[in-house]
Amino acid sequence: MNCAEAERLIIDRVFSGSVLQPDDELNAHTVVCAACRSFHQKCSADYETSFADRKRLPDPDFYDKLFTGEKSGKTHKELKSHSVAPLLRFAPGLSAAAAAVLLGVWLGGRLFTTIIPANASSGVNPELLRADYIQSYAADLNLTDATDMALENYLNFNAESDDTE
Amino acid sequence: MADAELMKMVAEGDPVSGRRFADQYQLLVYNVCYSFIRNRHDAEDVAQEVFLEAFRNAGRFRGDAKISTWLYRIAVNRSLNYIRNNRKRRFWQELSAVFDPGPSGSNSQEFEMSGDTTDGRLKNREQKSVIGEALESLPENQRIAFTLNKMEDLSYAEVAEVMQLSLSAVESLIHRARLGMQKKLKHYYF
């Protein structure tokens, strides 16, 4: 047996604990090879420390802890019916996603209402807008003449008639 | 009582069967969780979660596989999820543990006897975790296969069933894991 084979066997034995039967060939090798002997000792000691809390005896109160602990908060009978736990688990995430979408829509809307009028006013002649406005106002009042003068006359006349009444 | 029958009773909420199920499989579940997590309290928490999931889903157990295979699968998945979700938390825990090991620390006596300072603690903790770190550094599938085969003493066929892989794939994973472990441990210990 060479050292590489011995190392692999040592790793198997260290991790398998006492499950494996003693290996005479490996033992013979570690007797004559100080490096492998040291490797075995260090690995074993390290394993013992690293996995010291593996349990060999069951906890008699485990079942009670399971259903009286904070984790469950339910009895075995209550637990058997499928709960809405998966739904609740995803609910905060879904709510956050929905809120983000709504916020995005709202911010986008705000942005467009700020940008569009500015662009719109810059491209349209204000004189034309005024003329359109006066024309539609005259049409509402059933005036055939849609000039400033005609509108003024109409408004002055109606104001006087209101006063006399 | 057969596996399917026991799980049927558990699904119906029978407390006697529930207790029997928990008592029978708690060591298996805890030790698998602990092999991955390497922290007793966290492993106990995850083991409880595994059982709560098993109790909730007991009705879905059809008896195609053994209860142990089913539980191994849940325990491995839960443990790996726990590790993924808690990397940051563990970093801060370990950092604070280095500077404040506490009176219940398993190595506190050694430190006192040897009069070690923070350097000694760091070295000790570093040494303590070599074999665990080597295991953690393996690719996930290799780590699962190696842990189940070597530490939980499952046969290659059982590992294949838990991991839902072919036998040859499991053999290959374990072989590569052994080589990986050998390389890392040799590098450290020689």
Side-chain angles (χ1 to χ4, degrees), chain B residues 6 13 17 30 47-48 51 61-62 74 91 97 102 112 127-128 131 147 151 155 178 185:
Chain B
L6 174 65
S17 302
Y30 167 81
Q48 286 195 359
F51 271 98
F61 182 81
R62 292 197 181 90
I74 301 173
F91 169 77
E112 281 165 22
Q127 282 174 351
K128 184 184 167 184
I131 212 159
T147 303
M151 295 174 77
S155 68
R178 282 173 87 205
L185 293 175

Side-chain angles (χ1 to χ4, degrees), chain A residues 4 7-8 11-12 15-16 35 46 50 53-56 59 62-64 66 71 76 80 82, chain B residues 10-12 19 26 30-31 34-35 44 49 56 128 130-131 150 152 178 182 186 189-190:
Chain A
E7 284 157 19
R8 283 195 289 276
I11 290 170
D12 283 348
F15 277 93
S16 302
D46 192 358
S50 299
D53 287 329
R54 279 179 72 84
K55 285 184 182 173
R56 285 172 183 82
D59 175 3
F62 183 79
Y63 179 81
D64 296 320
L66 207 56
K71 223 168 237 325
H76 180 178
K80 82 184 173 73
H82 291 286
Chain B
V10 171
E12 285 169 5
R19 186 178 290 276
Q26 58 164 292
Y30 167 81
N31 282 331
Y34 179 73
S35 298
E44 280 173 352
E49 286 172 13
R56 274 191 209 103
K128 184 184 167 184
V130 167
I131 212 159
K150 303 295 175 200
E152 305 310 320
R178 282 173 87 205
Q182 182 187 10
K186 196 175 159 181
Y189 285 131
F190 280 130

Side-chain angles (χ1 to χ4, degrees), chain A residues 49, chain B residues 105-116 120 124 127:
Chain A
T49 321
Chain B
S106 57
N107 298 313
S108 56
Q109 272 191 327
E110 290 170 35
F111 296 138
E112 281 165 22
M113 283 166 68
S114 60
D116 271 348
N124 197 298
Q127 282 174 351

Side-chain angles (χ1 to χ4, degrees), chain A residues 114-136:
Chain A
T114 321
I115 290 168
I116 287 171
N119 289 342
S121 63
S122 64
V124 180
N125 188 343
E127 283 300 315
L128 287 174
L129 278 176
R130 185 171 181 278
D132 273 355
Y133 179 69
I134 288 172
Q135 202 156 17
S136 60

